[in-house]
Amino acid sequence: MNAKQALKLAKDQKAVCVDLRFCDFVGAWQHFTVPMSEMSEGVFADGFGFDGSSIRGWQAINNSDMLVMPDPSTAVMDPFMKHPTMTMICDILDPITKEEYTRDPRNIAKKAEAYLKSTGIGDTAYFGPEPEFFILNDIRYDQNEHSGYYIVDSVEGQWNTGADEEPNLGFKPRYKEGYFPVPPTDSLQDVRQDMVMVMEQVGIAVECQHHEVATAGQAEIDMRFSPLVKMGDQLQWYKYIIKNVARQHGLTATFMPKPVFMDNGSGMHVHQSIWKGSKPLFAGKGYAGMSDMAMHYIAGILKHARAIAAFSNPTNNSYRRLVPGFEAPVNLAYSSRNRSASVRIPMYSDSPKAKRLEARFPDPSANGYLAFSAMLMAGLDGIQNKLEVGDPLDKNIYSLTPEELANVPSMPGSLEEALDHLADDHEFLLKGDVFTQDVIDTWIEYKMENEVDQLRLRPHPYEFVLYYDC
């Protein structure tokens, strides 16, 4: 869709305004709205000005003017606004040089796609994330100088089997037994299907939806794979739709990786493959039907996983999920079918088009543009340097002895550790100017100052259980 076609869409749909959205450095959508009287073909070349100093991780106040440039190919009618509203995703430009902004996550993803093509290895990187999330009935939290607490609640929560709900109707998924029960135990079927219907309304192809393993309304909706930038766009829509449909039902949805203690956290397994034209390049005659190229790609992912984690698992809470011995795969090994490996090769089909790898360590707090780009760059580094992946680990990793695990590297144990790995291992990200040194430095600085250090400063409620009587 070009500018003329986007404006025709707005006219045909009787839009009264256009909502312009862009992704901030951390990963949240930001927006502002202009009336149709302000829209013309000229704005697609001239853009709209805004204050870049008010966006997380972006410009200093003395250098704050920036431009948003609407991408007409992303035009779609918003499914939630009261007044007919056309929405477009925007790119960010410097108003003086008109160059694309290096800290714009979407720009980084576009450069990753361009770099892939420039290598001659392939021309399309497909990504298929599987973000998990919780649909809750109530959330309360506070943190101040003298107190700190959180309370999550769900009518599905196993802890509510004895609650006086006037009446309590039972059928609450047991801890770690929420995978695939039919209603009434799965009480959120219609809510998830409403989410799917809205996703399809804005052009997202959905493969399936289901209840996930945890109690308390854990869910998953799977999107059909798409090229990197398009999937980054779709992930933003995905989160927006889930949160807004939940709100329409008087519910709240969160992509926080670990909101419930002692039950499964929310991951975001990411399927990925490289194609050249109509040819899938990861199919071959090697292990699990994979090509040498695919195995080199896997080797790149495993080599750089601890640095990738700074983008794929970018919150302190991410590491409440990535704990050795629990449900999330923290050991950097690969296997076919084995879900305890951090990289899995799905074996659902023998079709060459289905050959892909699945990185299982990421979580849905990630900025998709950055996480997908970092994984692609790591995989390409593996291909370019013909990295050897070693032998697969087809055993259940959770049952291995400490001696058997001694030579298996693992994911970082904290956000700070992941950021340290990124500081030490990021040359692969700088190729093709995809990630700049400024992006790496700013990401580390922002995360340390605003997340790692802030958590360090505050007593944790459980510390009072452990230490008050010391």
Side-chain angles (χ1 to χ4, degrees):
M1 188 180 301
N2 58 30
K4 188 183 296 292
Q5 292 168 328
L7 292 174
K8 184 177 185 301
L9 172 66
K11 182 178 180 181
D12 291 347
Q13 296 294 322
K14 297 180 171 54
V16 299
C17 57
V18 174
D19 202 52
L20 301 173
R21 296 181 186 167
F22 59 92
C23 181
D24 71 13
F25 198 46
V26 180
W29 247 357
Q30 309 293 332
H31 82 129
F32 62 93
T33 307
V34 297
M36 286 306 304
S37 59
E38 293 295 308
M39 294 298 298
S40 67
E41 289 188 45
V43 304
F44 292 91
D46 299 334
F48 292 91
F50 75 103
D51 175 10
S53 69
S54 297
I55 305 300
R56 297 182 296 178
W58 279 7
Q59 295 293 85
I61 196 167
N62 61 324
N63 193 26
S64 60
D65 288 354
M66 306 197 77
L67 290 175
V68 293
M69 307 297 292
D71 181 346
S73 71
T74 66
V76 66
M77 295 301 293
D78 187 277
F80 299 107
M81 302 295 187
K82 175 182 176 181
H83 302 287
T85 301
M86 186 174 76
T87 297
M88 284 186 284
I89 299 173
C90 302
D91 297 309
I92 308 302
L93 268 61
D94 183 285
I96 307 301
T97 66
K98 296 301 194 310
E99 293 179 350
E100 293 183 317
Y101 186 44
T102 57
R103 296 186 197 174
D104 174 10
R106 193 169 192 257
N107 177 39
I108 292 170
K110 290 167 68 176
K111 289 192 293 182
E113 285 190 327
Y115 178 68
L116 168 63
K117 293 178 182 178
S118 75
T119 65
I121 292 171
D123 50 34
T124 307
Y126 286 108
F127 284 80
E130 299 175 341
E132 298 167 346
F133 54 97
F134 280 84
I135 304 171
L136 302 169
N137 288 79
D138 190 52
I139 173 67
R140 288 177 285 152
Y141 54 90
D142 194 16
Q143 180 73 57
N144 52 49
E145 293 79 4
H146 67 95
S147 67
Y149 68 88
Y150 70 89
I151 299 173
V152 299
D153 204 8
S154 164
V155 295
E156 280 197 358
Q158 177 67 196
W159 58 82
N160 277 324
T161 55
D164 185 3
E165 295 178 342
E166 300 180 349
N168 188 325
L169 300 178
F171 293 104
K172 302 180 190 300
R174 286 182 286 271
Y175 296 110
K176 299 184 182 294
E177 293 187 25
Y179 195 63
F180 283 18
V182 297
T185 302
D186 177 4
S187 68
L188 295 165
Q189 165 69 19
D190 291 339
V191 177
R192 293 193 309 272
Q193 192 57 38
D194 282 351
M195 293 168 176
V196 170
M197 300 297 283
V198 178
M199 288 181 190
E200 292 179 333
Q201 183 180 331
V202 301
I204 296 174
V206 174
E207 293 186 331
C208 72
Q209 59 95 343
H210 58 85
H211 203 290
E212 255 299 340
V213 173
T215 190
Q218 193 182 35
E220 178 176 317
I221 299 173
D222 294 337
M223 296 176 280
R224 182 171 174 79
F225 64 88
S226 286
L228 193 160
V229 173
K230 183 177 180 182
M231 183 51 75
D233 292 344
Q234 289 186 175
L235 184 58
Q236 296 300 113
W237 268 110
Y238 181 101
K239 292 183 176 182
Y240 175 76
I241 289 168
I242 283 169
K243 292 173 183 177
N244 279 282
V245 171
R247 191 176 184 89
Q248 287 179 335
H249 283 268
L251 301 167
T252 180
T254 181
F255 291 90
M256 186 176 175
K258 191 73 171 182
V260 178
F261 173 57
M262 289 304 291
D263 209 338
N264 281 32
S266 293
M268 184 176 71
H269 307 151
V270 181
H271 297 254
Q272 46 204 288
S273 63
I274 295 176
W275 290 46
K276 199 164 194 175
S278 60
K279 182 181 179 181
L281 301 181
F282 280 8
K285 297 182 179 180
Y287 175 80
M290 299 289 269
S291 66
D292 289 342
M293 178 186 291
M295 303 313 286
H296 294 319
Y297 189 103
I298 291 172
I301 293 285
L302 294 176
K303 176 183 177 180
H304 299 296
R306 286 172 285 195
I308 295 171
F311 296 111
S312 63
N313 305 81
T315 66
N316 286 300
N317 186 252
S318 297
Y319 299 89
R320 307 290 184 257
R321 168 179 170 264
L322 290 178
V323 178
F326 289 84
E327 80 277 4
V330 300
N331 297 293
L332 294 173
Y334 78 99
S335 176
S336 66
R337 303 183 69 182
N338 185 354
R339 282 176 163 79
S340 66
S342 57
V343 174
R344 182 177 76 99
I345 301 169
M347 299 297 292
Y348 298 124
S349 171
D350 291 330
S351 169
K353 294 182 178 180
K355 287 303 175 184
R356 63 198 188 275
L357 65 98
E358 175 194 34
R360 294 179 62 80
F361 55 85
D363 71 55
S365 67
N367 180 330
Y369 297 116
L370 300 183
F372 303 156
S373 298
M375 284 184 276
L376 175 61
M377 296 301 289
L380 291 176
D381 185 64
I383 294 170
Q384 290 165 328
N385 291 293
K386 291 185 166 50
L387 298 180
E388 294 298 330
V389 73
D391 295 330
L393 193 55
D394 289 332
K395 298 179 181 179
N396 181 350
I397 296 173
Y398 300 132
S399 67
L400 297 181
T401 66
E403 291 75 22
E404 290 175 304
L405 281 172
N407 295 320
V408 180
S410 62
M411 291 292 290
S414 68
L415 177 57
E416 182 177 13
E417 188 181 339
L419 295 170
D420 287 342
H421 282 292
L422 179 61
D424 293 337
D425 176 26
H426 60 259
E427 291 299 320
F428 70 100
L429 296 171
L430 302 180
K431 294 178 181 178
D433 200 39
V434 174
F435 288 78
T436 63
Q437 189 64 51
D438 171 69
V439 165
I440 301 296
D441 293 343
T442 303
W443 185 262
I444 294 171
E445 179 183 352
Y446 179 89
K447 287 286 178 176
M448 286 296 299
E449 180 179 340
N450 293 281
E451 298 182 34
V452 173
D453 290 346
Q454 294 305 312
L455 196 65
R456 278 176 174 166
L457 288 168
R458 289 161 171 79
H460 188 285
Y462 195 60
E463 291 175 350
F464 285 83
V465 177
L466 294 174
Y467 310 127
Y468 186 74
D469 61 349
C470 64

